[in-house]
Every structure is written in C-alpha cells, then in structure tokens.
Amino acid sequence: MHLAQHALRRAASAGTVALLALAVGCAPQPEEKASGKPSGSTAETCAKGSLSTQTSGKLTIATDEPAYEPWFKDDKPANGKGFESAVAYSVARQLGYAEGDVVWQSIPFNKAFAPGAKTFDFDINQVSISAERKKAVDFSSGYYDVRQAVIALKGSKAAKAKSLADLKGLKLGAQVGTTSLNYIDDVVKPARQPAAYAKNDQAKSALKNGQVDAIVTDLPTAFYITAAEVTDARIVGQFENQGGTPEQFGLVLDKGSALTSCVTKAVDALRADGTLAKIEKEWLSEAVDAPVLK
C-alpha cells in the first residue's frame, strides 16, 4: 500500500481532496514515471520524443532465452529474423525507433507477466492474452491468432490419437505457465497429472526420452519441432479455440503503462496495412491446418 500512503500524505494538506485520494489510493495504482507524467495518461502522445520509455531515445524489448524458432532465428532476437523479431522491429518503427534504437533484454517467460514493475518497455514471447494475466500486466492488441497442438513420437500410441478421449489416459507435458499446459488441464482433463517444464527444451527432451507420451505447444512451434528438432515426432492434431474467441499472443507491458495505447495503435496499424500478414506468411508459412482433436 505504498501508493495509498503517498496519496494520503498529499491529501492531508487539502481536506477537500482527501476522500478522492483515499478512493484512488486503495486501488492498485502504478508508480508515476520520473518525468511526472502519470502512468497510462491519456495526454501521452505516440511521437518518439514524448514516449516514457525505460531509457530516453531507446526502446527496450524483452524475450526469453533461448529464443526459439520460428519466432526467432538462431537464438538472436536482435537480427530481425523470425516472426516475433520481425514484429518487434515493425512495432518499433511504427513508434519512431530505428533498428539501432532497440535494446533487447532477456526475461524468463513467467517473469514477463508476473506482478511487479518491469525493466522493459514491452515483452514479446508468445504470451497469450488472458483475463487472469491482465490483472498483473497490460497487453497490446493481439498480433497473432494461435492454436495449441499435440506432438508425439511416430509409431507411438499417442501418435494414433484421433480425439480428446484418446489423450485422456496418456502422460502429457508442456511448459509451465503456458496456455499449452492450460489446455491439457482444462480441455483434455487427463487421468494422469501432466508434467510441467520450465523450458520447452526440457519438454522436448522428456518426449524424446519417453518420460511423457506427448507434449503440447503452439502450432507453429509444433511444426518447427517436428521438422527440425525431434524429427521422429509428428503433430497428432490441434485443439479448437475455447469459447469461440481465438487465442491471441499480445505484447506485454507494465500494468498501467503509458505506452500501452501507443503500442496497441502500432500493432493495429500493422494489421490494417497487411504487415502482420506478410510477416506471418514469411516466417510461419508451414503452420497450416492440422487435424482438429474433438
């Protein structure tokens, strides 16, 4: 309640403001920026010189390490190659930042959307937008519509699955904190406790070593894994979107960030002018239809 106390101290010298300050102070409120601009201010413009970034004149973008393909290329987010690297630089250009103005930062997947102040301007790391996560962070509008997919070793019992019912008796695994793991828990509802891994690399190793029957990832990652990393595996199928609303990846920002509206406008502009579709075609062209598991 640090901010509540701050608000009350300010209100003490002006009784007519005290009730308002108390009402605002008791709700979770972000810290004000050093510039004095309130976080999330509608007065914030989207011109480069007026953006309240972590470092003046720079745009700090975060992602996990390692940075997996096809989202990034060669584990080098700064090279502009891979779907998310290309999206990140396109957003930066929309905001007025040249390639040399972008600073990359390594942030673990779960930490990106955990409560607490952020050291980045936005994070891009296949983070699905959800109401629960919005309690701790802001999201831009979605930059990619995604489905989750099941991967199993060729010739295994899991590889022959045709429905959700066929998956229920299997040992499944996914990266912790992901919607992939949520789909196992909420959609498959397996009879056996799923395995949760800190990294996708660990999940892939578990699949190769026979510690799990199948793993769940987003569909583009599934295509890459089966084509280049675990070549004796195949995509069993994909899940339908739940509730009729497509799952979307969004850029993650600090809760109440003054940048949220500007970053959202940038993403929306890239969708409207066809840039996102062009980037998707270039880097995710293999993520085509896979059988739907019902």
Side-chain angles (χ1 to χ4, degrees):
M1 293 298 289
H2 170 74
L3 289 171
Q5 294 167 357
H6 178 62
L8 286 172
R9 286 198 300 269
R10 292 173 56 193
S13 62
T16 55
V17 185
L19 290 177
L20 176 59
L22 180 59
V24 173
C26 288
Q29 297 292 318
E31 292 280 2
E32 291 187 355
K33 301 293 184 181
S35 64
K37 295 177 183 178
S39 180
S41 170
T42 56
E44 178 81 16
T45 71
C46 296
K48 176 183 174 182
S50 65
L51 292 176
S52 300
T53 55
Q54 293 287 331
T55 301
S56 180
K58 301 290 184 180
L59 187 67
T60 302
I61 305 176
T63 195
D64 202 356
E65 186 179 9
Y68 298 107
E69 298 192 27
W71 310 105
F72 299 91
K73 185 74 173 175
D74 301 325
D75 193 19
K76 296 178 180 177
N79 65 14
K81 298 178 180 180
F83 179 78
E84 290 194 328
S85 182
V87 169
Y89 280 112
S90 295
V91 171
R93 284 190 290 272
Q94 283 288 327
L95 295 173
Y97 293 88
E99 184 175 331
D101 296 328
V102 173
V103 178
W104 285 92
Q105 186 179 102
S106 176
I107 297 291
F109 179 80
N110 279 341
K111 189 175 179 180
F113 51 86
K118 306 305 177 191
T119 57
F120 52 79
D121 294 313
F122 69 76
D123 177 277
I124 182 167
N125 190 26
Q126 306 112 66
V127 181
S128 295
I129 301 168
S130 73
E132 184 63 27
R133 290 173 178 171
K134 282 183 177 180
K135 294 176 183 178
V137 294
D138 281 358
F139 281 97
S140 70
S141 54
Y143 61 87
Y144 180 67
D145 293 355
V146 66
R147 285 193 175 189
Q148 300 297 318
V150 180
I151 306 169
L153 296 180
K154 296 175 181 177
S156 67
K157 177 182 177 181
K160 299 178 176 64
K162 302 294 183 183
S163 66
L164 295 179
D166 294 336
L167 299 175
K168 287 187 180 297
L170 303 178
K171 180 67 173 180
L172 305 175
Q175 184 177 354
V176 69
T178 62
T179 51
S180 302
L181 188 57
N182 292 343
Y183 266 73
I184 295 175
D185 289 329
D186 302 335
V187 178
V188 179
K189 299 178 180 178
R192 303 169 66 183
Q193 181 72 23
Y197 301 97
K199 300 279 187 180
N200 256 339
D201 278 345
Q202 296 172 354
K204 288 181 290 187
S205 294
L207 178 65
K208 288 190 288 186
N209 296 334
Q211 295 169 297
V212 292
D213 298 312
I215 60 174
V216 177
T217 70
D218 58 79
L219 187 57
T221 297
F223 273 97
Y224 181 77
I225 288 174
T226 54
E229 297 184 315
V230 189
T231 54
D232 58 340
R234 63 180 292 266
I235 296 174
V236 178
Q238 62 178 305
F239 297 112
E240 290 183 304
N241 285 318
Q242 300 302 297
T245 302
E247 178 186 346
Q248 291 186 312
F249 292 154
L251 305 178
V252 182
L253 300 96
D254 203 356
K255 186 67 176 174
S257 172
L259 297 176
T260 301
S261 62
C262 295
V263 172
T264 291
K265 288 177 183 177
V267 172
D268 291 344
L270 294 173
R271 181 182 297 103
D273 68 12
T275 299
L276 288 181
K278 181 180 178 181
I279 295 173
E280 182 177 338
K281 183 177 181 180
E282 179 178 1
W283 294 107
L284 304 181
S285 59
E286 292 185 350
V288 294
D289 288 341
V292 176
L293 300 167
K294 298 182 179 180

